[in-house]
Amino acid sequence: MSSSQKNEYTAVLFYASWCPFSSIFQSKFSTLSSMYPQVKHLMVEQTSVLPSVFSRYGIHSVPSLLIVDQKSRMRYHGQKDLQSLVNFYRKKTGLDPVVDMVEDTSCHSKSDQKVSQLWNGASLKEKFLKEPYLLFSILFVMSRGFQYLFPEIAPHIMAIWAAYVPHLNIGIFGDSRQIIGRVLHVIDVNGIWSKLKMCKTRNFHRGARNARVWASSLTS
């Protein structure tokens, strides 16, 4: 992804359709394309390309903005307001906007309100059904924290995982929004919890026996 001519610049916006912040940034990117018609503007949606494309350009979060030319590329790090973005364009390209535009703060506040409603206007179940990737991210962080705090339980969880995973039929999963509901039917949560509880009880009894042996040795 590079410009064909020496003094030609291309602005590339990497975004995701499920990300509310990407939708906010898209409107500003459209405004920038009107302010800088001499710069090519290209939008790349996350699911429309291979993950290797994002990795190749060091894109690990969305939305992300790059300006590339024949020799180099520069990624934007900073505030997402229009004036900061114009300053970034000017710094990279040395060009001034053809037309000056003022950011519509009322539209911006409505967009922010829409994002806040995603969190405040729905139950946890509705939020996770709308944004399944959010649930997977939270589960991953919780699993890492659990593994750090309780390292002795991790082998038992791995054994349970190995016992259950071969029986999962990945083909039954349809749309990503239905994954959460289907997982709850496929995985026997109560069975897993009872095994973990049994493991914990067994460790408790073993510890109690060791404590009794230690106490008797002190009294003898």
Side-chain angles (χ1 to χ4, degrees):
M1 187 184 299
S2 61
S3 298
S4 57
Q5 298 180 10
K6 183 177 181 181
N7 296 324
E8 189 176 76
Y9 295 94
T10 301
V12 186
L13 173 64
F14 294 88
Y15 73 101
S17 58
W18 53 265
C19 175
F21 301 102
S22 291
S23 62
I24 296 173
F25 201 95
Q26 279 180 268
S27 61
K28 297 180 181 180
F29 192 70
S30 177
T31 302
L32 288 167
S33 66
S34 300
M35 298 176 68
Y36 286 90
Q38 66 272 47
V39 176
K40 288 185 177 181
H41 287 76
L42 175 66
M43 293 195 299
V44 180
E45 206 277 325
Q46 186 181 35
T47 60
S48 65
V49 296
L50 295 174
S52 58
V53 175
F54 274 62
S55 300
R56 185 187 311 162
Y57 293 96
I59 305 300
H60 304 293
S61 62
V62 291
S64 291
L65 175 64
L66 290 178
I67 294 183
V68 301
D69 58 16
Q70 195 176 27
K71 294 182 178 179
S72 63
R73 62 174 178 260
M74 181 182 292
R75 181 179 174 183
Y76 178 67
H77 300 277
Q79 299 295 324
K80 299 299 192 294
D81 61 283
L82 186 60
Q83 186 56 50
S84 298
L85 293 168
V86 169
N87 292 338
F88 171 66
Y89 270 62
R90 186 181 289 114
K91 177 181 178 180
K92 172 60 180 174
T93 66
L95 302 173
D96 290 321
V98 174
V99 292
D100 290 327
M101 289 184 157
V102 179
E103 187 172 8
D104 188 354
T105 55
S106 63
C107 180
H108 181 66
S109 62
K110 289 179 180 178
S111 299
D112 289 342
Q113 184 178 5
K114 182 178 179 182
V115 173
S116 64
Q117 286 176 350
L118 177 65
W119 301 100
N120 301 326
S123 64
L124 285 175
K125 181 179 179 181
E126 291 173 344
K127 293 172 188 176
F128 290 146
L129 288 176
K130 290 181 180 178
E131 305 294 341
Y133 296 104
L134 174 63
L135 175 61
F136 297 149
S137 300
I138 293 175
L139 290 176
F140 175 76
V141 173
M142 291 178 62
S143 65
R144 298 295 294 178
F146 185 82
Q147 184 178 5
Y148 177 79
L149 295 174
F150 306 100
E152 69 280 357
I153 302 180
H156 300 290
I157 296 178
M158 294 299 295
I160 295 173
W161 176 264
Y164 276 87
V165 166
H167 304 290
L168 292 179
N169 183 8
I170 303 301
I172 67 173
F173 296 130
D175 186 75
S176 60
R177 294 184 179 181
Q178 300 177 357
I179 291 179
I180 299 171
R182 293 178 181 272
V183 166
L184 294 178
H185 290 289
V186 173
I187 297 179
D188 184 6
V189 179
N190 293 329
I192 294 177
W193 174 250
S194 63
K195 287 188 178 183
L196 287 176
K197 189 175 180 181
M198 187 183 301
C199 243
K200 185 176 179 181
T201 304
R202 190 182 299 115
N203 291 336
F204 175 79
H205 289 313
R206 186 184 299 113
R209 287 196 300 270
N210 292 338
R212 285 196 297 268
V213 172
W214 179 77
S216 63
S217 65
L218 288 178
T219 57
S220 59

